[in-house]
Amino acid sequence: MIKILDGDCPDPAVFREGDTFYLTYSSGPYYPGPPICSSTDLVNWKMETYAVKDFEGKEIWAPDFFKYKDNKYYIYFSGAGTNWVIWSEHIQGPWSEPIDLKVGYIDPGHVTDEEGKRYLLLSGGHIVPLAADGLSIDLEPQNTNAYDGFLSVRPGVFARGSGQAVVSEIEYRTI
């Protein structure tokens, strides 16, 4: 067995930009965090930066990490009984201060529909429409009653958290 990263790296989120893969994971109560690492082979990882320098004693769990079509990087995560978002124009930062979306549940997953409308999918099959910039919610969470554990989005692709709640309507990112 090959050990790819040292230490405890729960809830990993990975995406690819060109030939480079980027990874972050839950940092829990540890700061700075969450770490952002890069790799071109998914075996050797380089530490790039930390996205949050201080979070007032709150914990960071289950991040979703990606580059959106507006050429900004986003990390959505759970912590302190709510969900948060941070963003940056550059992978190395600076990253924004955490923005409280003021919505409960856990395991955020960002998706878009065919028209480009942004949503957060959350635990228990909840879906939250986001504002166009992804930095606030448009409506309160709705329960789709579609989430019942990990489901295959399509062969070989599994969504973490509730990322499969509206699979037929929303395309989930793959690496």
Side-chain angles (χ1 to χ4, degrees):
M1 182 172 170
I2 298 172
K3 189 170 188 178
I4 296 175
L5 294 169
D6 287 333
D8 186 14
C9 307
D11 304 319
V14 179
F15 76 95
R16 182 177 65 197
E17 181 178 18
D19 293 334
T20 304
F21 294 90
Y22 293 99
L23 164 83
T24 192
Y25 50 87
S26 295
S27 57
Y30 303 107
Y31 292 95
I36 296 176
C37 305
S38 66
S39 174
T40 56
D41 62 9
L42 294 174
V43 174
N44 299 295
W45 290 91
K46 173 186 169 195
M47 181 61 171
E48 294 289 341
T49 191
Y50 292 96
V52 177
K53 305 303 182 205
D54 184 33
F55 196 41
E56 302 173 22
K58 298 174 185 80
E59 297 184 5
I60 294 175
W61 296 105
D64 190 18
F65 182 34
F66 58 95
K67 185 175 185 180
Y68 192 59
K69 65 183 180 182
D70 63 3
N71 288 319
K72 293 179 183 173
Y73 299 91
Y74 292 85
I75 299 176
Y76 288 88
F77 61 91
S78 299
T82 186
N83 284 274
W84 305 79
V85 62
I86 56 176
W87 65 273
S88 177
E89 293 180 359
H90 307 283
I91 199 80
Q92 293 84 10
W95 285 82
S96 72
E97 292 295 316
I99 299 167
D100 185 354
L101 296 174
K102 297 180 173 57
V103 62
Y105 310 103
I106 60 171
D107 295 337
H110 177 274
V111 294
T112 59
D113 64 18
E114 291 87 13
E115 289 81 40
K117 176 73 177 139
R118 298 170 77 160
Y119 299 88
L120 260 192
L121 301 175
L122 300 161
S123 61
H126 290 87
I127 183 169
V128 181
L130 294 170
D133 64 6
L135 303 180
S136 63
I137 63 171
D138 267 353
L139 299 170
E140 291 301 309
Q142 303 164 18
N143 190 330
T144 64
N145 294 316
Y147 177 62
D148 192 24
F150 289 95
L151 300 175
S152 176
V153 174
R154 55 185 169 262
V157 178
F158 294 85
R160 176 183 56 81
S162 58
Q164 64 286 349
V166 287
V167 170
S168 63
E169 299 295 324
I170 298 174
E171 183 177 335
Y172 201 80
R173 290 176 320 285
T174 62
I175 58 170

